[in-house]
Amino acid sequence: MARFLDWWRREERCARLMKALLLALLPVACCVAYCAAQGHWIGDVYLPNSEWNDELFNYKQVEGILSHGYPQGYFGFNESHALKLSFAAWSPVLVFPWIIWGLLFGWNMMSPVICNIVLMTLACFLFVWLAKPGWKQLGVISLLFCLYTPFVRYMLSAMPEVICFSMLILFYALAINYLQQEYEKKNRMGGRLALLFVLSGIMTLMRPYMLLFLLLPAWF
């Protein structure tokens, strides 16, 4: 009986890994489909030609941080002035994944796009691994992901929204996992609760209104 249970647990982990890999492929597939529908490839994305002028400002901000440790001057959101040593309306925490990416792999026009796709892919993988959805639930999640087109538009940009999206997906995955562990009366919940507090703290530093997400781990 014990041998059968060990085999079943291994098979369960294998199925979960398969689900996680399938959902992890979805961000890349959506980006490829989005670009192909317009007759282009992901590598054809050109940030300076974007309809969102924030993208080039964000790119130059990270470029300044990587080269000098702080922004070297960029136009503010009202496009009327240039500032040094300023991170505009948000904190440098908002773009720290891009900074880490730039330090590891260099910084060019495609760097934020590739980093965004990698972040969303990793978030999708961890969501399935932690939340453990069934096949039907995985299908519904995939459909909703595809229908929410801002996921794709933000991945193919130099906008930090994908960083926030990824953090939120991981936050909710940990919250679901915490509730599952509580339901199963397991004793490995302290670490998950600590991670929820850490994630909500980081999100608050990214954008102050995300302080609201501290309420969930506090309630737990």
Side-chain angles (χ1 to χ4, degrees), residues 4 23 32-34 61-62 68 95 107 162 178 195 201 203 213:
F4 173 79
L23 193 66
V32 170
Y34 182 91
Q61 182 185 49
V62 174
H68 293 82
V95 292
W107 190 247
V162 165
Y178 178 89
L195 282 173
M203 290 190 295
F213 288 97

Side-chain angles (χ1 to χ4, degrees), residues 26-199:
L26 196 58
V28 179
C30 286
C31 288
V32 170
Y34 182 91
C35 292
Q38 302 178 52
H40 295 285
W41 172 244
I42 294 175
D44 296 328
V45 174
Y46 186 57
L47 301 184
N49 196 37
S50 171
E51 59 187 5
W52 296 336
N53 56 10
D54 290 359
E55 292 193 55
L56 197 53
F57 301 152
N58 292 332
Y59 176 85
K60 296 300 288 185
Q61 182 185 49
V62 174
E63 184 182 71
I65 295 170
L66 290 170
S67 60
H68 293 82
Y70 58 87
Q72 289 293 291
Y74 60 95
F75 288 104
F77 287 113
N78 60 2
E79 303 178 30
S80 64
H81 60 282
L83 301 172
K84 283 189 177 182
L85 293 172
S86 171
F87 293 91
W90 311 116
S91 77
V93 179
L94 184 60
V95 292
F96 81 90
W98 288 350
I99 296 170
I100 294 172
W101 183 275
L103 289 171
L104 293 175
F105 305 108
W107 190 247
N108 56 57
M109 285 292 181
M110 283 303 298
S111 296
V113 174
I114 298 171
C115 183
N116 285 343
I117 294 173
V118 170
L119 286 175
M120 187 61 74
T121 297
L122 185 60
C124 288
F125 181 91
L126 291 174
F127 180 85
V128 175
W129 190 258
L130 292 168
K132 296 179 280 191
W135 285 107
K136 186 181 293 185
Q137 291 171 319
L138 186 69
V140 173
I141 291 168
S142 301
L143 176 62
L144 293 175
F145 186 101
C146 294
L147 291 176
Y148 188 61
T149 53
F151 272 144
V152 180
R153 179 63 185 90
Y154 281 121
M155 277 190 284
L156 299 172
S157 74
M159 299 291 283
E161 272 69 15
V162 165
I163 297 172
C164 297
F165 289 159
S166 301
M167 294 286 287
L168 280 170
I169 290 171
L170 181 56
F171 178 85
Y172 282 118
L174 279 168
I176 293 169
N177 187 267
Y178 178 89
L179 291 172
Q180 290 172 343
Q181 297 289 330
E182 186 179 45
Y183 178 77
E184 295 170 6
K185 307 297 183 185
K186 293 185 178 179
N187 297 319
R188 300 193 299 266
M189 294 159 57
R192 289 164 179 79
L193 190 58
L195 282 173
L196 282 171
F197 273 110
V198 169
L199 281 176

